[in-house]
Amino acid sequence: MSQLLHVSSSPHVRARIKTEDIMKLVVIALLPATLFGIYNFGMRALLLVCISVATCVATEAIYETLMHKKMTINDFSAVVTGLLLALNLPASAPWWIPIIGGVFAILIVKQLFGGLGQNIMNPALAGRCFLLLSFTGYMTDFKATEGFGRIVDTASGATPLAALKAGEQVDILSLFIGNTTGTIGETSALALLIGAAILLGTKVIDWRIPGTYIASFMVFILIFGGHGFDVNFLLGHLFGGGLMLGAWFMATDYVTTPITKSGQLVYGVILGILTGLFRLFGASAEGVSYAIIFSNLLIPVIERVTVPTAFGKGGKKA
């Protein structure tokens, strides 16, 4: 009876899982792609990952200390931002690139908007786009690099998406496994799918956004790609570039996605169309980052259109 008389402020239904638990699961899910990236590109990739994560955590800690705010580095959100930013960098990037990107992601995109839950776009992707615009040469340099005593033979030549755009054939098996060029965390579709299975299995995410994103993108490629049902071209776009990393790990960010189920489907379709537009008709062969950033800005409109009809006064009449 005492429980029935208990009064508290909303929300009255709460999940037992905490923010730090979710973020830790995301880190675990990213480990296969991270470890493969280090194996693929050598210790230089590990160095960039460590610098990026450390920069994001330090930036958040310093800002919250100076602003006399509650310390939130224990929720692992800064770790996830740093890890995602690093996985979106080429292994040849200078050591100071993740520092600039990490400070921008945490300070400008996250903290100045109010901290976790208030940012209007994915901080890691915003940091990557900022770096792409500011240091295009470094961010698009995928040539072979020498790490700590290891030459990365797989990082030479054009990226698979650039080859597809030039009308060339790509090795689908190499794309799926990851023996190809690209950023540290995007090359192995297999490793990313293992991580996606972890997220789905632990119910951190569901299928709606990544499923509709990938499906609508493939339909767009089939209709406007100019290659008909060319399996090599289709799978090359599916496994090449940042589609898998973006669809499963960044488009599903809780803060920057619609809360309505129908809105999530609409969001996924918009992502697929924008990615297809950028890849097929844009100046660059890639388009995932900009597609997600632009779609993040549309979330208020999507939610306004897809919000369920309220009961009672003001609700839709029968």
Side-chain angles (χ1 to χ4, degrees):
M1 180 64 70
S2 60
Q3 293 297 322
L4 294 177
L5 297 176
H6 179 71
V7 178
S8 64
S9 61
S10 62
H12 303 293
V13 179
R14 295 181 174 88
R16 292 183 179 180
I17 190 169
K18 299 179 180 178
T19 301
E20 54 264 34
D21 298 327
I22 295 174
M23 295 301 170
K24 287 176 183 177
L25 287 172
V26 175
V27 171
I28 292 172
L30 284 169
L31 282 180
T34 304
L35 294 175
F36 186 88
I38 295 169
Y39 166 79
N40 201 25
F41 297 108
M43 294 302 292
R44 184 176 181 83
L46 176 60
L47 176 64
L48 293 177
V49 169
C50 291
I51 292 175
S52 182
V53 172
T55 298
C56 289
V57 173
T59 301
E60 185 157 302
I62 292 171
Y63 176 84
E64 290 175 341
T65 300
L66 293 176
M67 296 295 107
H68 305 288
K69 290 190 172 185
K70 179 183 177 181
M71 191 63 62
T72 59
I73 58 175
N74 291 331
D75 66 12
F76 272 72
S77 62
V79 173
V80 171
T81 297
L83 186 53
L84 284 172
L85 176 62
L87 296 183
N88 278 282
L89 299 177
S92 60
W95 62 269
W96 47 266
I97 283 286
I99 295 179
I100 295 176
V103 171
F104 181 86
I106 296 296
L107 181 60
I108 305 299
V109 182
K110 182 180 179 183
Q111 292 298 340
L112 292 187
F113 278 93
L116 182 64
Q118 304 298 318
N119 47 282
I120 61 173
M121 61 182 68
N122 185 288
L125 275 183
R128 180 177 190 256
C129 291
F130 173 76
L131 292 173
L132 274 171
L133 294 172
S134 304
F135 310 102
T136 307
Y138 290 121
M139 291 295 292
T140 56
D141 182 8
F142 301 103
K143 68 177 183 299
T145 58
E146 184 174 358
F148 299 130
R150 181 173 182 264
I151 300 293
V152 184
D153 296 325
T154 58
S156 59
T159 62
L161 290 182
L164 283 173
K165 199 156 190 174
E168 303 173 9
Q169 295 286 304
V170 294
D171 188 341
I172 299 301
L173 182 59
S174 293
L175 275 178
F176 183 72
I177 296 174
N179 186 28
T180 184
T181 56
T183 64
I184 295 171
E186 74 179 16
T187 57
S188 176
L190 175 60
L192 291 167
L193 288 173
I194 292 173
I198 294 174
L199 294 181
L200 290 169
T202 55
K203 297 183 179 180
V204 172
I205 65 171
D206 64 24
W207 62 270
R208 287 181 181 83
I209 292 174
T212 52
Y213 183 1
I214 294 172
S216 58
F217 170 74
M218 300 307 289
V219 171
F220 189 93
I221 291 295
L222 282 172
I223 297 174
F224 300 103
H227 290 256
F229 193 76
D230 184 335
V231 176
N232 185 272
F233 186 77
L234 200 62
L235 293 181
H237 273 286
L238 181 63
F239 297 143
L243 180 63
M244 287 294 161
L245 180 60
W248 296 105
F249 292 95
M250 291 181 285
T252 54
D253 175 28
Y254 287 3
V255 180
T256 55
T257 55
I259 59 174
T260 61
K261 288 180 170 49
S262 57
Q264 292 170 4
L265 298 176
V266 173
Y267 178 64
V269 172
I270 293 174
L271 284 168
I273 293 173
L274 287 179
T275 302
L277 280 171
F278 292 147
R279 281 195 178 183
L280 294 180
F281 306 110
S284 173
E286 184 56 280
V288 171
S289 297
Y290 291 116
I292 295 177
I293 289 295
F294 288 153
S295 297
N296 288 163
L297 301 177
L298 297 176
I299 299 303
V301 178
I302 295 174
E303 289 185 336
R304 181 183 294 272
V305 172
T306 60
V307 65
T309 301
F311 289 104
K313 185 178 179 180
K316 186 177 180 181
K317 295 181 179 180

